[in-house]
Amino acid sequence: QLLKNRVRMLQKEKAKADKKILQTKTKAEEILKRTSHNNKLYQDKIKQREKQKKAEKLANKKLTEERKQRDQRIKKRKEEIHEIKMEEVKNWRHKEKHKMTKQKRDEDKYTKGIRARQAAEIKLSEEKAIENKRLRQEELAQANRIQTQMKIEEEAMKIDSLEKEAQSLEEIEQELLNKLQNTQMMEKDAFAELEKAMIASSENRRQRFE
């Protein structure tokens, strides 16, 4: 009866060990799948970040060119306004030299110059307002890109955390495998003892019969 109990106990231990092995394998497969998925996500984030950097570089280059063109337009406008003012001064001096009969014509010409200058200044002011609006929109877009970059980095940190968790689980798995090996060795020793006991019992029985 004692041997039967020991056999049943060993069978239970073996069943437990088999169950632990199955659970460990299942956990390992889950960890591998999760790690593969996280690696793919990380690679996608890296590609997206590189693509975004290229887009930002291109946008910055475009913005620099547009600012340069804007400065050139403003400079040209200023030169035009300066020329208009110089023309106005010239007309005014010319008006003073003419006789009273030409005063009306000179005044009309001066007024025309004033209107042209005012029109040019209004147009320049409108262009500045449009340019300022566009720059504000570019700054907002830049802020959005920075926010997106921060989100990407946050996702990368999450992925790193998951990878550390997977590493910890792998270490736990290795520890369980080591324990299982020890259990198997103990089971092997127990079976050896059982075999010795059975042989000894058989020898005793044989000697009694003799």
Side-chain angles (χ1 to χ4, degrees):
Q1 183 63 33
L2 179 62
L3 290 175
K4 289 182 180 180
N5 291 336
R6 292 183 66 181
V7 169
R8 281 197 298 271
M9 181 181 68
L10 290 173
Q11 288 174 344
K12 288 181 180 180
E13 289 296 325
K14 185 178 183 302
K16 288 181 181 179
D18 292 339
K19 185 178 180 181
K20 286 182 180 179
I21 292 172
L22 180 60
Q23 290 176 345
T24 302
K25 287 183 178 179
T26 303
K27 190 68 176 179
E29 290 175 355
E30 292 176 356
I31 292 170
L32 289 175
K33 288 181 180 178
R34 186 186 303 172
T35 301
S36 177
H37 179 68
N38 289 338
N39 287 337
K40 185 177 183 302
L41 286 177
Y42 181 74
Q43 291 298 325
D44 292 341
K45 294 295 182 183
I46 292 297
K47 290 180 181 178
Q48 184 179 358
R49 186 184 301 173
E50 292 176 352
K51 184 177 180 181
Q52 183 179 355
K53 285 183 179 179
K54 290 181 180 179
E56 288 178 355
K57 185 177 180 181
L58 184 62
N60 290 332
K61 182 178 179 181
K62 183 179 179 182
L63 182 61
T64 301
E65 292 176 353
E66 289 177 353
R67 285 180 177 174
K68 183 178 179 180
Q69 292 176 358
R70 180 200 62 184
D71 293 338
Q72 290 176 350
R73 290 197 302 269
I74 292 174
K75 182 179 178 181
K76 185 177 180 181
R77 286 295 180 187
K78 287 181 178 179
E79 290 174 354
E80 291 175 355
I81 291 173
H82 178 71
E83 290 176 0
I84 291 172
K85 289 182 178 180
M86 293 299 294
E87 184 66 21
E88 289 173 358
V89 172
K90 182 179 178 181
N91 290 337
W92 183 81
R93 289 176 179 176
H94 182 70
K95 179 192 68 174
E96 291 295 320
K97 293 177 181 179
H98 279 69
K99 296 179 181 179
M100 294 298 295
T101 53
K102 295 181 179 180
Q103 184 176 357
K104 182 70 168 63
R105 183 183 61 186
D106 293 338
E107 288 177 352
D108 292 340
K109 192 173 183 180
Y110 180 76
T111 302
K112 183 179 179 181
I114 292 294
R115 289 176 179 174
R117 184 185 67 185
Q118 290 175 344
E121 290 176 347
I122 290 172
K123 187 174 182 180
L124 180 61
S125 178
E126 291 175 350
E127 289 180 352
K128 284 183 178 180
I130 293 172
E131 185 65 18
N132 289 335
K133 182 179 179 181
R134 189 186 64 78
L135 289 175
R136 285 196 298 270
Q137 291 175 346
E138 286 290 338
E139 290 173 354
L140 179 60
Q142 181 69 14
N144 290 334
R145 286 194 291 269
I146 292 173
Q147 186 177 6
T148 301
Q149 180 68 22
M150 291 176 65
K151 289 182 179 179
I152 291 173
E153 292 176 354
E154 183 179 353
E155 290 295 328
M157 291 177 64
K158 289 181 180 179
I159 291 172
D160 183 64
S161 177
L162 290 173
E163 288 178 348
K164 288 180 179 178
E165 181 184 356
Q167 184 179 359
S168 177
L169 290 174
E170 288 174 355
E171 292 174 356
I172 293 172
E173 178 190 8
Q174 185 60 42
E175 183 179 354
L176 290 174
L177 288 173
N178 292 335
K179 289 181 178 179
L180 179 61
Q181 288 178 354
N182 291 333
T183 301
Q184 290 175 344
M185 291 294 295
M186 292 173 65
E187 288 175 354
K188 185 177 179 181
D189 293 338
F191 277 118
E193 290 179 4
L194 175 61
E195 185 178 1
K196 289 179 180 179
M198 291 176 70
I199 292 172
S201 176
S202 178
E203 285 290 330
N204 290 333
R205 235 187 270 118
R206 186 174 60 80
Q207 291 174 1
R208 284 198 302 268
F209 287 139
E210 290 176 354

